[in-house]
Amino acid sequence: MLEKTVYRQLLSRAFDIPIKVTYWDGKTESYGTGTPEVKINLKQEIPLKAMTSQPTLVLGEAYMNGVIDVIGNLQELIASAYRQAGSFLTNNPFLKHLPKISHSEKESKQDVQHHYDIGNDFYQLWLGKTMTYSCAYFEHPDDSLDQAQLNKVRHILNKLKPEPGKKLLDIGSGWGTLLFVAAEEFGLEATGVTLSKEQYQYTQQKIKEKGLAGKVTVLLTDYREIKKTYDYVTSVGMFEHVGQENLALYFKKVQEVLVPNGRALIHGITGQHQGAGVDPFINQYIFPGGYIPNVAENLTHIMNANLQLADLEPLRRHYQKTLEIWYTNYTAVIDQVQEKYGEPFARMWSLYLQACAASFEAGNIDVMQYLLTKAPSGTGLPLTRKYMYQLED
């Protein structure tokens, strides 16, 4: 009886919006001030100890398996938990619940393939024509997803102020859109590296279709194995997956593969106040081995690698909007996903996309673009930031 009372007290203080909860015993209670627009249906009791020790993992699994149903805006529900001071859902030291995560080349390959080698068919259902799985850049509020993804790639390349004919390395090149734009629009000789077999095969096929052989190359290899040097380096949505213990090595590798005066644009998810670290649910089911550092961590590694910070731009609201569009696309095809992969998988990805959008909405994670240069100090960049936007007008 006491456990049920505590259970209800925890839920009553977990959100900053009014909610209605129907418990496994059939009793319905409302919490907060106002008319609830979100309703939670708990179909069976979840052990209190499990729920409070690793809430994102336990509740995430419960949602996947249909033990919990949410009627209403799940993104808003999760964002409200992030906003609520002292919520048991977000005030947990996630890191202590996980063993030390290793990121050898073999383990990194396994982690990447777990996530990206679900199959290109899965991602093609909802990512859009560019097959770009990272934060888009909305120059105008009504930009389509495909337009905003191309905006992002051009924004990255504009920041580098690249000269045609020079060489670019893209670390974690995904399905290749940045490589193609770099070659076709900026005249660069572009090389990408990925550990995903599916991404590698897709990019190889696109190189043939676009007639870019000799201008674009993709390698199925670990970035740590790159020995050549390049005029420019890009890396989008990559450092979140190298592991906390490899962040120093990652930025050092960026420095090593750059020629003197070379420039790099590193784009990835960070925390502005404290790193989001490791989330047990995402680590278990979505992307094993992930770690989200805070800005201070990255800047420390950048300085220690003898790289110079030339510019830093936050794009948090852009990623929230990107995820919301992905979720809309995903919702339209969820029946296809469920038919091929099963209901728990389909619900898992639905939760993942909405939870990530909520995290950006609440501001507990951000996405940053770090423009970096390598010594000596004469970088060749203009004195002001105006050049970054001239090609976008």
Side-chain angles (χ1 to χ4, degrees):
M1 191 67 168
L2 178 60
E3 183 167 299
K4 286 186 178 180
T5 300
V6 175
Y7 204 106
R8 285 167 161 79
Q9 288 176 346
L10 287 171
L11 283 178
S12 71
R13 298 195 296 263
F15 309 99
D16 72 351
I17 60 172
I19 62 167
K20 180 178 287 187
V21 180
T22 298
Y23 291 94
W24 55 91
D25 58 7
K27 186 175 181 181
T28 297
E29 298 181 7
S30 294
Y31 306 118
T33 303
T35 302
E37 296 184 2
V38 179
K39 300 177 182 180
I40 302 170
N41 185 10
L42 292 170
K43 298 179 182 179
Q44 65 186 55
E45 184 175 6
I46 301 169
L48 182 63
K49 183 177 180 180
M51 190 175 74
T52 55
S53 63
Q54 296 194 70
T56 63
L57 176 61
V58 172
L59 295 176
E61 289 177 335
Y63 184 86
M64 280 173 54
N65 296 316
V67 173
I68 295 176
D69 270 332
V70 175
I71 301 170
N73 192 324
L74 179 56
Q75 176 183 330
E76 176 59 18
L77 181 70
I78 297 171
S80 75
Y82 285 126
R83 294 191 301 261
Q84 179 76 331
S87 172
F88 81 98
L89 289 164
T90 56
N91 189 28
N92 275 265
F94 294 141
L95 286 171
K96 77 175 186 179
H97 297 295
L98 294 174
K100 178 177 173 59
I101 299 171
S102 179
H103 289 83
S104 67
E105 291 187 17
K106 179 181 179 181
E107 288 158 333
S108 293
K109 183 177 181 179
Q110 291 171 343
D111 290 345
V112 167
Q113 292 180 355
H114 172 93
H115 187 78
Y116 293 106
D117 288 353
I118 293 170
N120 290 335
D121 290 348
F122 170 68
Y123 290 103
Q124 285 173 320
L125 287 172
W126 52 275
L127 277 185
K129 294 179 182 179
T130 68
M131 285 291 283
T132 307
Y133 188 29
S134 55
C135 174
Y137 180 65
F138 295 87
E139 293 177 20
H140 307 98
D142 58 350
D143 282 342
S144 69
L145 175 64
D146 291 331
Q147 182 61 55
Q149 291 291 13
L150 290 173
N151 293 346
K152 185 267 302 296
V153 170
R154 292 171 183 141
H155 190 50
I156 286 171
L157 294 168
N158 286 343
K159 285 185 175 184
L160 292 171
K161 198 171 175 57
E163 298 175 24
K166 292 200 171 184
K167 297 181 179 181
L168 175 140
L169 173 68
D170 189 25
I171 299 175
S173 53
W175 286 275
T177 297
L178 188 148
L179 299 174
F180 308 142
V181 174
E184 293 174 326
E185 299 185 19
F186 291 80
L188 297 174
E189 183 181 322
T191 299
V193 294
T194 179
L195 288 173
S196 164
K197 293 178 182 178
E198 292 276 331
Q199 291 180 340
Y200 172 78
Q201 292 168 358
Y202 181 95
T203 306
Q204 288 278 53
Q205 182 62 36
K206 285 293 182 181
I207 290 171
K208 293 178 183 178
E209 291 176 6
K210 291 174 173 288
L212 292 174
K215 297 180 181 179
V216 174
T217 303
V218 62
L219 305 173
L220 185 63
T221 189
D222 192 286
Y223 73 97
R224 287 168 281 195
E225 296 301 314
I226 299 298
K227 306 300 181 185
K228 295 181 179 180
T229 56
Y230 298 82
D231 302 289
Y232 314 106
V233 170
T234 53
S235 190
V236 181
M238 173 69 184
F239 65 67
E240 308 95 294
H241 306 308
V242 304
Q244 185 178 24
E245 74 278 17
N246 282 333
L247 282 168
L249 183 153
Y250 168 82
F251 283 105
K252 182 62 177 175
K253 191 63 181 182
V254 170
Q255 193 268 355
E256 288 177 359
V257 298
L258 280 173
V259 301
N261 281 325
R263 301 192 278 271
L265 195 289
I266 310 300
H267 167 126
I269 300 171
T270 64
Q272 282 215 38
H273 303 289
Q274 56 182 28
V278 180
D279 179 88
F281 176 76
I282 292 175
N283 184 73
Q284 178 72 28
Y285 291 100
I286 304 295
F287 207 119
Y291 174 80
I292 297 177
N294 63 42
V295 176
E297 281 181 272
N298 278 345
L299 291 178
T300 296
H301 294 308
I302 287 167
M303 291 185 293
N304 290 341
N306 200 29
L307 290 164
Q308 185 80 22
L309 180 67
D311 190 78
L312 180 63
E313 181 178 15
L315 297 175
R316 176 176 64 85
R317 290 183 295 166
H318 292 265
Y319 215 160
Q320 178 190 341
K321 187 175 178 67
T322 303
L323 282 152
E324 289 170 349
I325 295 174
W326 282 344
Y327 175 65
T328 298
N329 292 348
Y330 182 80
T331 300
V333 299
I334 195 169
D335 289 346
Q336 297 178 52
V337 175
Q338 183 172 321
E339 182 178 351
K340 184 172 183 178
Y341 299 99
E343 185 175 2
F345 180 94
R347 289 175 66 92
M348 174 182 74
W349 271 86
S350 177
L351 172 61
Y352 170 62
L353 293 172
Q354 291 177 87
C356 288
S359 293
F360 285 105
E361 178 184 348
N364 63 312
I365 56 173
D366 208 323
V367 62
M368 296 284 180
Q369 289 189 348
Y370 304 78
L371 178 60
L372 309 174
T373 62
K374 180 175 177 175
S377 58
T379 67
L381 291 174
L383 291 174
T384 73
R385 302 176 81 248
K386 185 176 181 180
Y387 80 94
M388 297 180 184
Y389 305 99
Q390 287 174 339
L391 296 179
E392 297 173 10
D393 296 333

